[in-house]
Amino acid sequence: MPPRQRNVDDMWMPPRVYRGRSAYEWKPKGGGTIRLCALDASKAAVWVAYEKALSATRTRFDFDKLADMYFASADFSRLKPNTRADYQRCAKLLRQTFGRVSPGSVQPEDVRRYMDLRGRVSTVRANRERSLLSTIMGWGFERGLVKRNPCIGVKTFREKPRDRYVTDAEYQAVLSIAPPMMRAAMEIAYRCAARQQDVLDRQRQHLLDDGLYIKQGKTGKAQVKGWTVELRAAIDLALAQPARLGTMWIIRNRDGQRYTRDGFNSIWSRVLKRALAQGLIAESFTFHDLKAKGISDFEGDKQLFSGHKTRAQMEAYNRKPELVKSIGTATKK
C-alpha cells in the first residue's frame, strides 16, 4: 500500500512517519506500527527516534533472516535438486507465519498451533513443513543463532502408507494415450522400478552393454538394470524423438533439455486427466506408483530388484495383493 498523502505542514517528517493519537508513529513497508516519540517532541527528536528505529529493524534477527542463512548454506546446497525445490515451497507458508518473528521466541505451542491449522488442509504438508522448520531451527541451534529447537517434542500427524496398486489394465490404458516421450518414461520407471528423478536423470552414457545404469538419487544405490526387449524398446522410442539440439538426455523436451520436475508433472497430469475423462481408468495414480507396480510385479528377489537397503523399505512398495490358498478343496479355474 503506498504511503498516505501528507499535509503541507508535515512534509518535514521522515518517510512513512505520521502523527498518531498520542505519538509520532512509523509504519514500515513490512507492516506494523512503531511508536517513535510523543507529539510534543521536537522535529530533531523525531528524526533521531526514526533513525534509531530504522537501524534496529535493519539489524533485527528474525526467522526470515535465519531461513535465508540456511538456504545460502553448504548444508542446503548439498541436498538433491528436488529436495531443495520442495524446501523452498514449504518455506513460503512458514515465512508467512514466522517470518517477522524472532526465532528465539517461537515456542513448541506455536509450532503445534501452526500444524493443527495447516493439518485442516493437508496433514502431509503440515508434517513436511514442520520438518523444514525443525531443520532450519536445528541448523541455527548448532551455530548459536537460537537457544533451542522449538519443534522438538511436537508430534507429527500419522500418515497412512500409500497402498495404490496400478493394475495391468490401468497401466496399459494410460500408456496407450501417453505421448511417445511419456510412454518411454513410464516404461523405464516400471521396468526398472525407478523414481521419476532417476528416470529424468538418465543420459546416453548410462546405456551400457549389460543394461541401463541407474544410481538412485535418494539412496545412492547404483545398479545396472539388465536389458529386456521392453526396456530396449522404451529407450529406442525415447531416442527416436526429435530434438532441436543435440542432447545427452534420454528423456528430454523438444529443445533437447532435461525435463524439469514441474514440466514433466504437467504433462503427466494432462495424460491422467484425459484417461479419466475418457473412462479408461476410474481412479488416478501418481507416476511414483509405477515404481511400486514394478516392485510388486517383479518375480524374484524384490529387495535386490528395488535397491532398498532393508526389506521393510521394499515392502512399502510391494502393493499387489498376495494370492494365498484358502481352506478346502482346490477348484479348477
Side-chain angles (χ1 to χ4, degrees), residues 26-206:
W26 176 43
K27 298 182 180 297
K29 289 184 179 181
T33 300
I34 297 176
R35 185 185 188 280
L36 297 180
C37 51
L39 289 175
D40 59 359
S42 66
K43 294 180 181 180
V46 173
W47 272 95
V48 169
Y50 167 74
E51 294 290 350
K52 186 179 296 185
L54 181 62
S55 177
T57 57
R58 285 174 175 170
T59 58
R60 183 176 63 189
F61 185 67
D62 54 21
F63 177 77
D64 270 341
K65 290 187 178 179
L66 178 62
D68 289 341
M69 292 173 68
Y70 170 71
F71 287 131
S73 71
D75 286 19
F76 180 73
S77 67
R78 283 192 287 265
L79 298 175
K80 299 298 180 181
N82 284 350
T83 302
R84 294 200 302 268
D86 190 53
Y87 274 16
Q88 293 284 10
R89 282 190 289 268
C90 289
K92 291 181 180 179
L93 284 177
L94 291 174
R95 288 178 184 273
Q96 290 178 17
T97 302
F98 301 107
R100 300 299 299 276
V101 177
S102 169
S105 67
V106 179
Q107 301 297 316
E109 55 266 31
D110 298 323
V111 180
R112 180 74 267 162
R113 189 179 304 109
Y114 175 89
M115 290 196 64
D116 288 342
L117 290 172
R118 188 72 173 96
R120 295 176 184 177
V121 178
S122 172
T123 56
V124 173
R125 297 316 302 174
N127 285 346
R128 301 299 177 271
E129 287 154 20
R130 175 212 169 277
S131 177
L132 174 59
L133 181 61
S134 181
T135 296
I136 293 174
M137 291 293 194
W139 183 88
F141 172 76
E142 291 181 348
R143 289 157 180 80
L145 301 174
V146 294
K147 297 299 183 183
R148 63 193 296 271
N149 184 343
C151 297
I152 295 177
V154 179
K155 295 180 180 179
T156 57
F157 291 108
R158 184 175 182 180
E159 297 181 26
K160 181 182 178 181
R162 187 166 177 82
D163 59 1
R164 177 74 161 93
Y165 172 72
V166 180
T167 66
D168 291 344
E170 290 175 317
Y171 178 74
Q172 291 299 328
V174 174
L175 194 69
S176 68
I177 64 170
M181 198 63 78
M182 180 59 72
R183 289 207 306 272
M186 288 177 64
E187 283 282 76
I188 295 172
Y190 170 54
R191 304 290 173 182
C192 300
R195 295 176 177 83
Q196 176 183 313
Q197 176 184 333
D198 298 331
V199 173
L200 299 182
D201 282 345
R202 291 313 91 205
Q203 301 177 15
R204 291 174 182 267
Q205 64 177 325
H206 298 140

Side-chain angles (χ1 to χ4, degrees), residues 252-271:
R252 77 276 186 194
N253 60 26
R254 293 177 181 177
D255 291 328
Q257 301 298 314
R258 179 192 184 279
Y259 278 108
T260 64
R261 178 183 180 182
D262 290 342
F264 186 85
N265 286 342
S266 179
I267 298 174
W268 174 253
S269 178
R270 290 197 296 270
V271 172

Side-chain angles (χ1 to χ4, degrees), residues 171-319:
Y171 178 74
Q172 291 299 328
V174 174
L175 194 69
S176 68
I177 64 170
M181 198 63 78
M182 180 59 72
R183 289 207 306 272
M186 288 177 64
E187 283 282 76
I188 295 172
Y190 170 54
R191 304 290 173 182
C192 300
R195 295 176 177 83
Q196 176 183 313
Q197 176 184 333
D198 298 331
V199 173
L200 299 182
D201 282 345
R202 291 313 91 205
Q203 301 177 15
R204 291 174 182 267
Q205 64 177 325
H206 298 140
L207 302 176
L208 308 181
D209 291 339
D210 294 332
L212 178 62
Y213 173 85
I214 296 180
K215 184 175 183 180
Q216 296 187 19
K218 188 172 183 179
T219 65
K221 178 68 175 180
Q223 293 180 312
V224 176
K225 296 299 176 75
W227 291 119
T228 62
V229 173
E230 295 82 1
L231 179 58
R232 175 60 77 177
I235 297 296
D236 290 343
L237 176 62
L239 297 180
Q241 301 312 304
R244 293 190 179 97
L245 300 173
T247 178
M248 62 183 179
W249 304 105
I250 295 175
I251 303 297
R252 77 276 186 194
N253 60 26
R254 293 177 181 177
D255 291 328
Q257 301 298 314
R258 179 192 184 279
Y259 278 108
T260 64
R261 178 183 180 182
D262 290 342
F264 186 85
N265 286 342
S266 179
I267 298 174
W268 174 253
S269 178
R270 290 197 296 270
V271 172
L272 264 290
K273 288 180 179 178
R274 183 182 169 193
L276 289 166
Q278 293 181 5
L280 299 178
I281 57 175
E283 181 184 357
S284 184
F285 56 88
T286 68
F287 190 86
H288 194 57
D289 287 332
L290 300 184
K291 171 182 169 71
K293 177 173 175 57
I295 294 173
S296 300
D297 291 351
F298 183 76
E299 297 181 358
D301 189 334
K302 294 181 184 291
Q303 184 177 338
L304 177 63
F305 175 64
S306 70
H308 289 122
K309 293 181 180 180
T310 67
R311 184 170 182 82
Q313 291 174 329
M314 179 276 294
E315 286 295 348
Y317 288 90
N318 187 18
R319 302 172 183 173

